[in-house]
Amino acid sequence: MALQEALAAKIEAWRPRTTRLLKEFGDVKVSEVNMSQAIGGARGVRCLVTDISYLDPNEGIRFRGYTIPETLARLPKVPGKEMPYVEGHIYLLLTGDIPTEEDVAELAADIRSRTGVPGYVFDTLRAMPIDTHPMTMFSAGILAMQRESEYVKAYNEGLGKMDHWQPTLEDSLNLWARLPELGAFIYRLKYKGDTPIASDPNLDLGGNFAHMMDIADPYDEVARLYFILHSDHESGNVSAHAGHLVGSALSDVYYSASAMINGLAGPLHGLANQEVLRWMQGVMEQMGGQLPSEEKMKEFVWETLNSGQVIPGFGHAVLRKTDPRYSEQRNFCLKYLPDDPIFKFVDMLYHIVPPILEEQGKAKNPWPNVDAQSGVIQWHYGLQEYDFYTVLFGIGRSIGVLSNIIWDRALGYPIERPKSVTTAMLEEVAGITSE
Ligand code: CMX
């Protein structure tokens, strides 16, 4: 198959670069760690390697060297649609090449042939209390599927280390085919009275997801855009890093994907997109269902900050400008839903929150991130159960996280194991002596 062959050639060509860096330059310093980084979440410490995406603080994400607008413009489009195939983006992240129409057709057909979440997974989810959070169900569903792993079978048969990437790719392709099904199943189980809709073998990944959610066009375009935008944000964010960390122990990608979902479920990370809608709804409730005036809204923002909470959807650990994933979704809103009241609300926040965060003087980045805008689009197309939003993020994020793990295996990256120090050791380094 074209993807496997293309990837094998890329890996073969790449391996000597990693081997040379390790052998000849292993002692060369990449980064140093100061006190605030050791205590403060390793912010800015350069100790991870990935070629799949790179996040520039001022420019935002590039997927394999392409900005978001370039990625969307260059990838082959679904016939009759403006958005590209998600499958083409998978090909790009894995190989670094923009696929041809034939490459995409072949990969899309391959992914379609892998759909079919096993029935026991659905039974597991049906056994959970119906008020379980969708992210818990999503993570549990992925974990329940772990017995399907081809990697584990190959490993147990004595697979050589340099071949580990191949069954990891098999597992990943199976997961990429099944995660949209699993997500849509959870949605229809929780909110639509357990009425799952079977996958349509004639549709691309984004179109099929919209079909299984039973949301009309252009929700198929929303799904394609959403999965591509959320796919990857280099390696250090919580979901990607959690997936990589678990994978480094040679746990299979079912374990890794479940772990990355658990990280994404935190309100400082992926859950922020549900928090934006929850916070806005709270504001609207206080206003008797009306949109607040700009002055009133400023008061609400200050109230939230003064009560010690964060403004969801704003700030970032790396970015220092408006997130281009936010801008791309804003462009979508301006085109398809300019008069939507929630969009107008979020757009108001875009103008009033950054100056307030600057005035407060704590957040290093006052600008909106991806999560500020994404809920608006979902809400507009009828997906108003906002605690489901992070599942959508997770389906998209799996593309980048699993692509990285395939490459980790191909390049033989070792088990991850940073070193800890004690507080007393830090005090000694600082020259603090006890009185
Ligand atoms: N509202 C209020 N305060 C904020 C803030 C926000 N949106 N963003 C940062 N701050 C505060 C931090 O809480 C921190 O306060 P303390 O010193 O009291 O601890 C201070 O500003 C400095 O933080 P920072 O260095 O600017 O940001 P971090 O790298 O520590 O954290 C992030 C980054 C995203 C967790 C933070 O900006 C935040 O909590 N944002 C709101 C939640 C959110 O939107 N998360 C989604 C991010 C995108 C994603 O991963 O999906």
Side-chain angles (χ1 to χ4, degrees):
M1 183 211 164
L3 174 69
Q4 270 86 343
E5 281 160 25
L7 193 50
K10 292 278 171 189
I11 288 168
E12 214 47 56
W14 207 275
R15 278 177 175 158
R17 297 176 66 183
T18 305
T19 309
R20 180 169 184 219
L21 286 171
L22 268 175
K23 275 205 173 143
E24 294 178 33
F25 305 95
D27 292 332
V28 174
K29 272 206 177 100
V30 179
S31 189
E32 290 185 8
V33 183
N34 60 33
M35 289 283 168
S36 63
Q37 291 170 314
I39 297 172
R43 204 73 82 259
V45 179
R46 291 159 186 251
C47 61
L48 295 167
V49 186
T50 177
D51 297 289
I52 289 180
S53 68
Y54 181 75
L55 179 60
D56 180 89
N58 291 307
E59 188 195 50
I61 195 70
R62 277 182 184 259
F63 301 120
R64 288 287 189 179
Y66 297 106
T67 62
I68 289 171
E70 286 166 357
T71 304
L72 296 176
R74 291 188 188 211
L75 287 174
K77 308 289 174 299
V78 176
K81 304 287 176 178
E82 285 178 26
M83 289 296 161
Y85 280 95
V86 179
E87 294 89 330
H89 189 59
I90 292 175
Y91 190 103
L92 170 65
L93 292 195
L94 280 173
T95 65
D97 293 338
I98 299 285
T100 63
E101 303 268 350
E102 294 75 48
D103 294 333
V104 175
E106 193 171 333
L107 179 56
D110 180 57
I111 289 180
R112 273 199 298 275
S113 73
R114 295 169 185 267
T115 52
V117 172
Y120 66 81
V121 175
F122 296 147
D123 294 341
T124 305
L125 298 180
R126 284 193 175 105
M128 297 176 92
I130 201 69
D131 63 354
T132 305
H133 194 280
M135 285 295 274
T136 312
M137 287 188 168
F138 198 42
S139 177
I142 296 169
L143 210 49
M145 258 192 290
Q146 186 275 335
R147 68 181 286 284
E148 306 296 323
S149 174
E150 296 295 328
Y151 174 76
V152 170
K153 283 179 210 145
Y155 186 90
N156 290 341
E157 282 161 15
L159 183 74
K161 188 177 174 187
M162 286 299 112
D163 296 325
H164 278 201
W165 69 269
Q166 290 165 2
T168 303
L169 174 64
E170 281 299 301
D171 280 353
S172 301
L173 288 165
N174 287 336
L175 269 174
W176 288 325
R178 293 171 192 174
L179 291 184
E181 276 184 301
L182 182 61
F185 173 83
I186 291 167
Y187 179 71
R188 303 216 40 102
L189 171 68
K190 255 187 86 77
Y191 309 108
K192 302 290 169 188
D194 193 4
T195 53
I197 296 173
S199 160
D200 181 339
N202 300 310
L203 294 172
D204 67 291
L205 194 148
N208 196 23
F209 182 70
H211 158 75
M212 291 183 290
M213 294 289 286
D214 196 26
I215 306 181
D217 293 356
Y219 191 73
D220 58 335
E221 293 283 67
V222 173
R224 293 179 192 108
L225 175 67
Y226 206 91
F227 295 153
I228 291 171
L229 288 186
H230 288 81
S231 60
D232 207 38
H233 220 221
E234 62 168 50
S235 289
N237 63 81
V238 169
S239 51
H241 192 197
H244 164 81
L245 175 66
V246 170
S248 81
L250 298 186
S251 302
D252 60 63
V253 289
Y254 293 84
Y255 285 118
S256 280
S258 176
M260 72 102 176
I261 291 300
N262 299 344
L264 198 64
L268 295 187
H269 190 18
L271 205 78
N273 60 16
Q274 95 164 39
E275 294 302 284
V276 171
L277 264 288
R278 197 165 68 90
W279 180 65
M280 281 178 12
Q281 286 239 314
V283 172
M284 281 170 74
E285 255 167 46
Q286 285 189 46
M287 294 296 298
Q290 300 297 308
L291 281 183
S293 66
E294 217 168 292
E295 276 319 299
K296 200 80 198 145
M297 201 54 229
K298 284 181 187 165
E299 277 175 33
F300 284 123
V301 172
W302 275 115
E303 259 174 40
T304 303
L305 289 176
N306 291 337
S307 67
Q309 299 170 61
V310 294
I311 307 296
F314 286 79
H316 201 272
V318 178
L319 278 167
R320 294 295 174 257
K321 282 273 165 67
T322 295
D323 190 337
R325 299 171 300 173
Y326 172 93
S327 307
E328 198 61 46
Q329 294 184 91
R330 184 166 184 269
N331 291 343
F332 185 96
C333 292
L334 287 170
K335 182 165 178 192
Y336 289 101
L337 43 122
D339 299 322
D340 183 284
I342 308 270
F343 171 56
K344 289 196 166 157
F345 193 164
V346 166
D347 221 36
M348 186 200 285
L349 293 176
Y350 180 47
H351 299 293
I352 68 170
V353 172
I356 293 179
L357 285 176
E358 273 176 340
E359 192 182 330
Q360 192 206 27
K362 278 170 70 175
K364 293 188 189 70
N365 174 38
W367 302 105
N369 60 57
V370 64
D371 296 315
Q373 190 71 241
S374 48
V376 178
I377 304 179
Q378 301 297 335
W379 186 278
H380 180 84
Y381 290 109
L383 208 169
Q384 298 185 350
E385 299 85 356
Y386 50 73
D387 55 356
F388 184 74
Y389 293 170
T390 317
V391 172
L392 305 170
F393 195 154
I395 296 172
R397 182 51 53 95
S398 74
I399 299 171
V401 172
L402 302 192
S403 296
N404 268 294
I405 295 172
I406 293 162
W407 272 93
D408 293 346
R409 300 261 156 95
L411 299 176
Y413 286 173
I415 188 164
E416 199 179 302
R417 185 33 167 118
K419 183 75 189 81
S420 308
V421 289
T422 64
T423 304
M425 287 172 187
L426 287 183
E427 285 167 343
E428 197 183 324
V429 172
I432 298 171
T433 46
S434 50
E435 305 279 305

